[in-house]
Amino acid sequence: MATRLKLAIVLSGGGARAAYQAGVLQEIADWQPAGAPLPFTVVTGTSAGAINAAAIAAGAQDFGRAAARLRDLWSNLHAWDIYRTDTMHLVGSGARWLVSFIPTWRHRRPASLLDNAPLAKFLEKAVPWASVQASLDSGALDALAITAMSYRSGMSVTFCQARAEIELWQRSQRVGVRATLGVSHLLASSAIPFVFPPAAIDGEYFGDGSVRQVAPTSPALHLGADRILVVGVGRSSVRPDATVNSAPPSMAQIGGQVLASIFTDALGTDLEKVRLVNAAVRQIPLDRLGLSPVPLRDVALCTVSPSIVLEDIALDYLDELPRTIRALLRGVGGTHPGGAGLLSYLLFAPGFCNALIALGRADASGKRAEIEALMAPIA
């Protein structure tokens, strides 16, 4: 009789780049029979990846329908669905930043560059929250985990809506907390520092979960995953911008590299660590593994990430952004090749998102054999 191991999917952060994950999920869903449940019973996400994770987990009883719904959400997404783009707000925010440097006006300093109030309304409609518990009750899902960073403690906090028998964890810099998930958890996990304001959960303020998440696969491992599919969103290009010569980097270049570090560097390091542990475990006789003071197992990994540089795609769709946002990005160098990394995180627009969805589908198709081997039961 075939044994089905516990599969997990890890969806990393990356702002608008996370549309790529919707394409990967849609492609995998197309390989399944109509009405089949989600093959990944542990779903974890951070930042924009947390939004995708919640949407897929809520529809775990019918993977194809959930993937199509997520694809449609990204396909029709605009910047004004995520953050305010009106001129009056942006001018007012800029003015408040300027006057806040006067000591007596310091209390008026904004908490962020952009106001993501529209995102809260979008998430209420985007995720059928009651269906998350229904997926757990039906057995189609074991756990949904969303990670955020506590501004009070600096810890990486993973909020878990999971089956009662699953034990959570506490380590020196990370902790798993049982919760009934909702919009506030997604707002917290996706609150990119300086870009979006912190979000409050039970009186404590949280920011983007990628900031202090040194081990992105850790929640999936703690929740019992035997096999993990990791869907990233690609690192920013390190190619030099021929137009800037020896000039100092623009604010957009700096910001793009900082965001790339937040969203992708820890993931790459973590995957290397898991592979090293796997290699070590394979050298230990089975009768000795049970004597280890900590659980050790060989966890199969498969990764899917963009096969081309996303900045190149972003520049093609710059005109889809509202003029106010284009002007803001132009002022910090975000409309030139060297600053397109920052642009790619903020470019919530149908053309760009659909291009990333198509790329995600193509990249997943290219790895079909590897992904299906990961999902296959053991004979």
Side-chain angles (χ1 to χ4, degrees), residues 287-338:
D287 60 340
R288 303 283 297 176
L289 278 178
L291 302 177
S292 171
V294 295
L296 290 175
R297 63 187 188 278
D298 185 352
V299 179
L301 281 178
C302 178
T303 61
V304 183
S305 59
S307 55
I308 62 176
V309 177
L310 298 189
E311 288 91 322
D312 293 344
I313 302 177
L315 288 171
D316 292 337
Y317 295 97
L318 172 63
D319 289 344
E320 285 195 326
L321 281 175
R323 284 185 294 178
T324 51
I325 303 300
R326 293 204 306 269
L328 178 64
L329 287 169
R330 189 178 302 113
V332 297
T335 58
H336 301 290

Side-chain angles (χ1 to χ4, degrees), residues 7 25 30 41 55 95 99 126 163 212 252 255 341:
L7 304 184
L25 289 164
D30 286 351
T41 60
V99 301
R163 296 174 68 85
R212 296 299 297 270

Side-chain angles (χ1 to χ4, degrees), residues 249-266:
S250 66
M251 289 180 63
Q253 284 178 279
I254 295 171
Q257 293 299 333
V258 168
L259 291 178
S261 177
I262 290 173
F263 290 128
T264 63
D265 286 359

Side-chain angles (χ1 to χ4, degrees), residues 346-357:
L346 300 177
L347 216 172
F348 296 95
F352 181 59
C353 291
N354 279 300
L356 295 194
I357 290 169

Side-chain angles (χ1 to χ4, degrees), residues 105-180:
W105 287 73
R106 191 174 301 159
H107 64 285
R108 298 291 301 276
R109 184 171 299 166
S112 62
L113 177 65
L114 298 173
D115 179 358
N116 64 346
L119 177 59
K121 297 178 181 178
F122 174 79
L123 293 175
E124 287 283 4
K125 300 176 182 178
V127 181
W129 293 101
S131 296
V132 174
Q133 187 60 48
S135 294
L136 290 166
D137 294 340
S138 72
L141 186 70
D142 287 330
L144 168 62
I146 292 172
T147 300
M149 183 268 294
S150 168
Y151 278 110
R152 178 181 59 80
S153 66
M155 291 188 69
S156 178
V157 180
T158 300
F159 297 98
C160 302
Q161 190 164 345
R163 296 174 68 85
E165 65 270 19
I166 293 179
E167 295 184 6
L168 302 187
W169 64 95
Q170 182 164 1
R171 299 293 185 269
S172 61
Q173 291 298 318
R174 60 186 190 274
V175 62
V177 176
R178 199 171 294 274
T180 299

